[in-house]
Amino acid sequence: MKHLLSLEALSGADLRAILNRVADFKRNRTTHAKPLLGQTWALIFSKSSTRTRVSFEVGLRELGANVMFLNASDIQLGRGEPIKDTARVLGRMIHGAVIRTFAQSDVVDFAAYAKIPTVNALTDDEHPCQILTDIFTFEEQRGESITGKTVTFVGDAACNVPVSWLWAAARLGFTLRLAAPKAYWPDEAIVKRASAGSALPWSGYSADQVVERLSIGAGMLELLTDLNLAARQADLLYTDVWVSMGKESESTQRLKELTGYQINADLVKLAKPNALVMHCLPAYRGKEIDEATVEAHADTIFTEAENRLHTQKAIVAWLVE
Ligand code: CP
């Protein structure tokens, strides 16, 4: 049985198998096959969502399924019922689950105990559906593969979105530059896992280092504190909120420490002339990106949002094939 719990768990061939289906789902939105006819899928969400919730509800219905939305605080999970018990109950009643929660172990445990196809719709560790969508959108808009290109992420480089980008770079063979203060670089354990087996084994962050460049699987990872250096000749500039869901108590400190790590017109000028600017949304204007840059790149950014629908259909079709 297949699940989408993380990009780390997938191979490059798996990622391509999903990405190769997306354009067909987009082109033939009303006429494609309905592999979920007769099935019921549940969305189980412990965090807020606009794009993920709506795109999965619409997409699963268009694939033929009945869909139920379960706010985790409305079911016994919110009163402390263990995830493994919730999973064993739902696994006997429904055919697939899409879960947005905090701990990665919750989606892993749900999949193991429910024994039904399970999708990570965002955890604290990864946001795999978003990054698959972003890669499809990059290749759709540019008309060429992301392999060999340079993606620059600016902002909180330790959160779920850049970590999923990191695994995508390792699997699909592109360079990922992460521009952030050192306290917002990814956890060392993740970087070590990604670089395992490379020709130049990586030994960990050193105290005074402001640039790290290392080999990760088929790709490269560059960690920088200087966002201008990171943006130079990039093919894609990408950012996400400075205060992820669950980090609200750190809001004041994060806004202070991440100030300046913003995508704006000055930064865009340093990238390639045909560079794309993307944001997984919601966007906080004046913080990780400015208003003028959102509006200048709105066509790409809102196509990216729409593509959540088409990409997630491809993910679910791949899971149940
Ligand atoms: N990008 C994203 O996951 O959006 P939502 O939080 O609105 O689902």
Side-chain angles (χ1 to χ4, degrees), residues 45 48-53 100 121-122 127 130 245 280-282 308:
F45 279 38
S48 304
S49 173
T50 299
R51 281 143 289 272
T52 309
R53 175 178 174 174
R100 170 167 284 205
L122 182 147
H127 197 356
Q130 180 68 57
M245 288 181 280
C280 57
L281 300 175
R308 296 291 303 277

Side-chain angles (χ1 to χ4, degrees), residues 9-189:
L10 298 192
S11 66
D14 290 334
L15 298 186
R16 276 289 159 214
I18 295 168
L19 290 165
N20 287 344
R21 293 164 174 249
V22 183
D24 269 354
F25 277 110
K26 186 166 183 175
R27 209 169 22 243
N28 303 310
R29 181 167 175 193
T30 56
T31 55
H32 60 66
K34 295 182 184 300
L36 305 188
L37 265 182
Q39 296 194 7
T40 297
W41 281 56
L43 271 61
I44 308 163
F45 279 38
S46 304
K47 291 177 173 175
S48 304
S49 173
T50 299
R51 281 143 289 272
T52 309
R53 175 178 174 174
V54 174
S55 55
F56 265 114
E57 287 205 33
V58 172
L60 289 166
R61 286 197 183 98
E62 290 182 358
L63 290 172
N66 296 307
V67 183
M68 63 174 74
F69 181 81
L70 302 172
N71 186 324
S73 62
D74 291 340
I75 58 176
Q76 298 291 4
L77 189 64
R79 290 178 10 102
E81 183 167 23
I83 192 80
K84 64 182 181 181
D85 291 358
T86 306
R88 282 181 283 198
V89 172
L90 295 187
R92 289 162 183 253
M93 298 178 182
I94 62 171
H95 303 90
V98 176
I99 303 177
R100 170 167 284 205
T101 189
F102 295 88
Q104 179 73 17
S105 59
D106 280 354
V107 292
V108 172
D109 288 351
F110 186 96
Y113 283 94
K115 298 185 171 59
I116 55 175
T118 301
V119 178
N120 173 356
L122 182 147
T123 62
D124 292 345
D125 288 15
E126 279 218 38
H127 197 356
C129 299
Q130 180 68 57
I131 278 54
L132 277 163
T133 301
D134 300 335
I135 292 167
F136 172 77
T137 306
F138 177 89
E139 296 188 338
E140 177 191 49
Q141 299 257 314
R142 287 276 295 256
E144 56 185 335
S145 171
I146 200 163
T147 298
K149 300 294 186 299
T150 298
V151 174
T152 294
F153 179 97
V154 176
D156 173 11
C159 75
N160 45 20
V161 164
V163 169
S164 286
W165 268 114
L166 185 157
W167 292 112
R171 302 293 181 254
L172 294 177
F174 57 90
T175 296
L176 177 67
R177 290 187 193 146
L178 300 176
K182 279 192 76 172
Y184 295 86
W185 285 7
D187 191 89
E188 278 194 28

